[in-house]
Amino acid sequence: MTSAAVADDNLLKSSRHDALLAAGVCAALLLLFWVRAQAAIWTKSSTYDEPMHATGAWIHRHQLDFRINYEDPPLWHYWAALPNGRGAIRADFASPGWTEMAQKWNNQWTWTVQQLYRTDGNDGERFVQRSRSMMIVLGVVLGAMLCWWAWQVSGAVAAIAAGVLFTFDPNFLAHAALVKNDVAISVCLLGLLLAVWRMGRVGITPWNLAGASIACAAAMTTKFTGVVLAPAFLVLLLTIRAAWPAPWRALRWRLETWWQRLLAATGAAAVVGVVSYIGIWAAYGFRFSATPDPAVRLNLDETLRQSAVFSAQAASRDFSQEASDKAVLSYIHWYALWNPADTKTYEPALVEHAKKTASPWQPPGSVRLALKLLDLRLAPEAWLNGLLFVQARSYIRGSYLDGEKSIIGFTSFFPKAMAYKTPLATLIALALAAVVGVVVLQAYVRRPQAHRDRGFPERAWLLACLGLPAAIYLWMSISSNLNIGLRHVLPVYPWLFMGVAMAAAWAWRWRRSVAAVAAGVLAMGLAVESFAISPDYLTFFNVAAGGQRGGLHRLGDSNLDWGQDLPALAEWQKRNPDVPLYLSYFGMVDPAFYKIRYLNMPGGYILNPQVFAPPRDGVLAVSATNLQCVYMAPPFVADYERLRAMEPTEILGGTIYVYDLRKK
């Protein structure tokens, strides 16, 4: 790449014609994204978590009661619940399942199923579908933000490249349509980085400061990863900008010295922090109590006990009953010291035994801080309990990778998940973008003076705003024990798409004919991969990973089978009405809602009685996650593993494996 070609890459140099062309193409791409995602959701049943999320969103919006689904901050719930009015479903708020839910967290699952699928007059799936439609809008917003930022940085070619990568990505097509907060947090974090990028580039203006404040507050009330990452990104980037030896502006003041820039950055971070803190309270109706009745409190003891036990097991790698009992005694000893006035939670004899046999649990600093905030009522009860709950459940969780299972995760999980579930065309584009980046960097290194005054600081600032957050996010994900889905690193993808878009614009200015051919081939390949898997986007695995069929041996849970293919099973039974059906289903939707007649196998649908006799003269349908035995009870693992080695008669939607056991 020549120095002239590099120098030609100036920001905001697109002509009016290019801008209109980019806007039209990107709008068409995002419309296509919306149509495909919307069409796909009507062919799929709700995934495992969606019924509870949609019901929790409805209750949060209309009753401001957070005893249900408090493990997720509620801002995105308010958006998801907009199409469901107060009378959208009939719900029994006098049942024990509801009244005891604050103390019994698991009640939220059984109570939700009872309301949505077993109450006359309620259409639970249509109820969820309406919320799904709202979530797709957030996906379109994410794509629009990505295209606009790419255009701002490198013009029309970059905007179109970013739009193509996003529009045809099967992972975003799958998750943008679900009542989950993975795409919602992606919107928040991309918006925050966009605002900070503009703040560092043009100065601390009221609009940039407002954008960063709103995005940070939204991140902290959308997903608990945002509580740590959003402020970290903000402070890190503003600190870097303050240290940058280049003039900066804050409102009407020109900042010449380092200490002036640092003072302005600190002030901006403080404003964002105050707005975010107010935003947390606003999300919970400026009320401390999780429920409208202050006497109804969430079960903090259960959450803390899980945190103590799970963290001890994960640290020691000892998951025996003896280790669990020891951790419980350690927790009880700590609890008696922390709350000595409570003489009802644990029997005095048990407390005395714990004091004699176990040293008290040493909670991490994050837990101690949350408990102090709870004690002083400096943050909403539901928000703090949710934060503690998510931390406790992150120590131990079933995970599946390349045929192996673990409850403390795999270091290689997310790198491999990205390699398996990212389209090959996108992987190739990322590799080519890296090559272009090296060439551009070499040009700068060889002739630094030629480029220093023509955009280099701006490009370095942009790379900081994209590269550092991506590296931090991936590092935190890889070091976590929570390895259940590629969806947890979805926020990284828009930042990667931006890198490819910038490289495409540089290559276009350098060798237009070569860039056009490469871009056309890759775009066509990406479109083929995307349309080939439609509408089963959640089950996408690239060809190198074995395709959809190979996914069974690669990844489980939300990477493949999340309970979304009951409609396909219902259609199969219509074609085979007289065949006895045995079912092992992984999901929360009641199969009876789809008129499926079946005998429930061990490890199958947990809210129906299970048949423990082996199936005879019938057909056995098994969800892929159950075949992988990710969450299967030990007594049944061997049977399902033998079944997994057999060749299925049919695979429905890529997730339900059908085995014909009838005597021939």
Side-chain angles (χ1 to χ4, degrees):
M1 181 178 289
T2 65
S3 60
V6 176
D8 188 50
D9 182 26
N10 292 320
L11 300 177
L12 303 176
K13 288 297 184 180
S14 296
S15 67
R16 181 179 179 85
H17 175 269
D18 289 341
L20 291 175
L21 174 64
V25 173
C26 290
L29 288 169
L30 294 176
L31 178 61
L32 177 63
F33 178 92
W34 180 85
V35 169
R36 294 183 68 201
Q38 187 71 53
I41 63 173
W42 289 107
T43 68
K44 300 294 178 180
S45 52
S46 299
T47 57
Y48 200 103
D49 297 346
E50 285 186 283
M52 188 267 291
H53 284 319
T55 305
W58 177 70
I59 293 171
H60 292 172
R61 181 189 172 206
H62 294 291
Q63 297 197 20
L64 214 64
D65 194 318
F66 302 100
R67 76 185 70 188
I68 183 173
N69 200 190
Y70 62 82
E71 63 270 27
D72 287 304
L75 181 64
W76 67 284
H77 281 166
Y78 297 135
W79 174 261
L82 282 178
N84 289 318
R86 188 175 293 273
I89 58 171
R90 298 168 56 193
D92 184 2
F93 293 108
S95 67
W98 173 258
T99 59
E100 298 173 4
M101 191 180 296
Q103 291 299 304
K104 299 178 180 179
W105 175 82
N106 279 331
N107 278 15
Q108 63 183 356
W109 302 97
T110 54
W111 185 83
T112 293
V113 170
Q114 182 63 41
Q115 310 315 306
L116 292 187
Y117 305 112
R118 296 174 176 177
T119 298
D120 292 340
N122 286 346
D123 188 337
E125 289 295 76
R126 187 168 292 275
F127 175 83
V128 175
Q129 295 286 11
R130 288 194 290 266
S131 288
R132 280 178 162 183
S133 296
M134 294 302 297
M135 302 310 293
I136 295 174
V137 175
L138 291 183
V140 173
V141 169
L142 177 64
M145 290 170 55
L146 175 64
C147 292
W148 186 84
W149 195 357
W151 176 77
Q152 285 276 296
V153 170
S154 296
V157 171
I160 294 171
V164 169
L165 288 167
F166 176 81
T167 296
F168 294 107
D169 187 85
N171 299 302
F172 280 107
L173 283 165
H175 291 283
L178 302 182
V179 189
K180 292 291 295 182
N181 53 3
D182 302 295
V183 171
I185 192 64
S186 301
V187 173
C188 297
L189 292 179
L190 186 67
L192 174 65
L193 296 182
L194 176 56
V196 175
W197 170 73
R198 287 183 56 82
M199 193 183 296
R201 180 172 171 267
V202 303
I204 303 174
T205 68
W207 283 110
N208 293 337
L209 191 57
S213 299
I214 293 171
C216 190
M220 297 178 74
T221 52
T222 293
K223 193 170 184 178
F224 283 115
T225 53
V227 176
V228 176
L229 293 172
F233 293 164
L234 176 80
V235 172
L236 174 65
L237 294 173
L238 288 183
T239 302
I240 291 174
R241 183 59 184 89
W244 213 304
W248 198 19
R249 297 192 66 85
L251 302 179
R252 297 181 179 180
W253 293 279
R254 183 177 175 85
L255 310 173
E256 299 286 354
T257 64
W258 171 81
W259 70 266
Q260 288 176 330
R261 294 192 297 272
L262 181 61
L263 184 62
T266 303
V271 170
V272 174
V274 170
V275 173
S276 298
Y277 181 66
I278 296 172
I280 292 171
W281 279 104
Y284 292 87
F286 293 99
R287 190 187 70 210
F288 171 76
S289 175
T291 73
D293 182 358
V296 178
R297 301 295 300 273
L298 299 177
N299 193 341
L300 179 61
D301 169 61
E302 176 65 21
T303 298
L304 293 175
R305 186 168 69 251
Q306 289 182 358
S307 184
V309 174
F310 293 166
S311 61
Q313 290 179 322
S316 66
R317 301 297 196 267
D318 185 351
F319 307 104
S320 65
Q321 186 61 48
E322 180 181 357
S324 177
D325 293 341
K326 182 179 179 181
V328 169
L329 290 174
S330 178
Y331 168 75
I332 293 174
H333 188 173
W334 171 85
Y335 186 87
L337 298 174
W338 174 64
N339 193 8
D342 181 5
T343 59
K344 297 180 179 179
T345 301
Y346 296 101
E347 293 291 336
L350 181 59
V351 173
E352 289 303 317
H353 177 65
K355 289 181 177 180
K356 293 178 181 179
T357 59
S359 57
W361 173 50
Q362 298 297 321
S366 56
V367 172
R368 293 196 298 270
L369 176 60
L371 292 177
K372 190 64 175 178
L373 293 175
L374 269 172
D375 184 52
L376 298 175
R377 298 195 171 201
L378 292 178
E381 177 193 13
W383 188 79
L384 289 170
N385 273 266
L387 186 61
L388 289 169
F389 182 93
V390 169
Q391 181 175 349
R393 292 301 182 98
S394 67
Y395 292 116
I396 291 179
R397 182 67 182 270
S399 181
Y400 182 88
L401 177 65
D402 292 338
E404 299 293 328
K405 294 180 293 181
S406 173
I407 59 175
I408 54 173
F410 304 88
T411 303
S412 61
F413 181 87
F414 285 109
K416 285 188 174 182
M418 295 177 74
Y420 295 156
K421 289 189 67 66
T422 302
L424 282 181
T426 302
L427 291 175
I428 295 172
L430 286 167
L432 292 176
V435 172
V436 172
V438 170
V439 173
V440 172
L441 181 61
Q442 287 178 341
Y444 285 128
V445 171
R446 289 172 182 171
R447 298 185 59 190
Q449 296 298 328
H451 310 296
R452 182 170 297 166
D453 297 327
R454 300 194 62 181
F456 177 71
E458 289 189 356
R459 295 190 188 97
W461 172 241
L462 175 64
L463 292 176
C465 290
L466 294 174
L468 283 176
I472 293 171
Y473 205 104
L474 284 173
W475 175 78
M476 289 189 65
S477 300
I478 290 171
S479 60
S480 169
N481 291 354
L482 187 63
N483 295 167
I484 59 174
L486 179 78
R487 60 191 179 89
H488 288 155
V489 294
L490 278 183
V492 174
Y493 277 82
W495 310 334
L496 297 178
F497 293 168
M498 277 289 296
V500 174
M502 292 165 56
W506 282 327
W508 182 266
R509 294 183 177 108
W510 175 42
R511 292 286 188 271
R512 181 165 298 190
S513 59
V514 174
V517 171
V521 171
L522 289 176
M524 186 175 299
L526 179 59
V528 168
E529 288 183 274
S530 181
F531 279 101
I533 198 65
S534 178
D536 304 323
Y537 304 119
L538 201 64
T539 67
F540 175 80
F541 285 79
N542 59 46
V543 175
Q548 185 188 61
R549 182 70 182 271
L552 182 68
H553 308 289
R554 299 294 188 185
L555 302 167
D557 203 278
S558 60
N559 297 293
L560 175 64
D561 165 40
W562 221 2
Q564 69 267 28
D565 280 316
L566 285 180
L569 183 61
E571 287 298 318
W572 178 91
Q573 192 166 66
K574 287 181 181 178
R575 299 193 304 270
N576 303 273
D578 300 323
V579 178
L581 176 64
Y582 295 83
L583 176 62
S584 178
Y585 167 64
F586 175 76
M588 271 292 124
V589 180
D590 191 343
F593 179 85
Y594 283 94
K595 314 299 183 189
I596 297 172
R597 306 176 308 280
Y598 67 100
L599 294 172
N600 194 25
M601 293 297 295
Y605 188 56
I606 62 175
L607 299 182
N608 272 351
Q610 297 183 337
V611 177
F612 290 88
R616 297 176 181 176
D617 290 337
V619 168
L620 175 58
V622 187
S623 292
T625 299
N626 286 351
L627 273 180
Q628 296 167 332
C629 302
V630 181
Y631 309 112
M632 189 63 61
F636 311 118
V637 168
D639 291 335
Y640 279 97
E641 287 182 341
R642 282 194 294 270
L643 196 63
R644 190 169 73 230
M646 297 171 54
E647 185 69 21
T649 307
E650 194 173 352
I651 303 175
L652 307 177
T655 70
I656 297 181
Y657 284 64
V658 179
Y659 299 89
D660 193 341
L661 305 179
R662 291 173 291 181
K663 295 178 180 179
K664 303 299 183 181

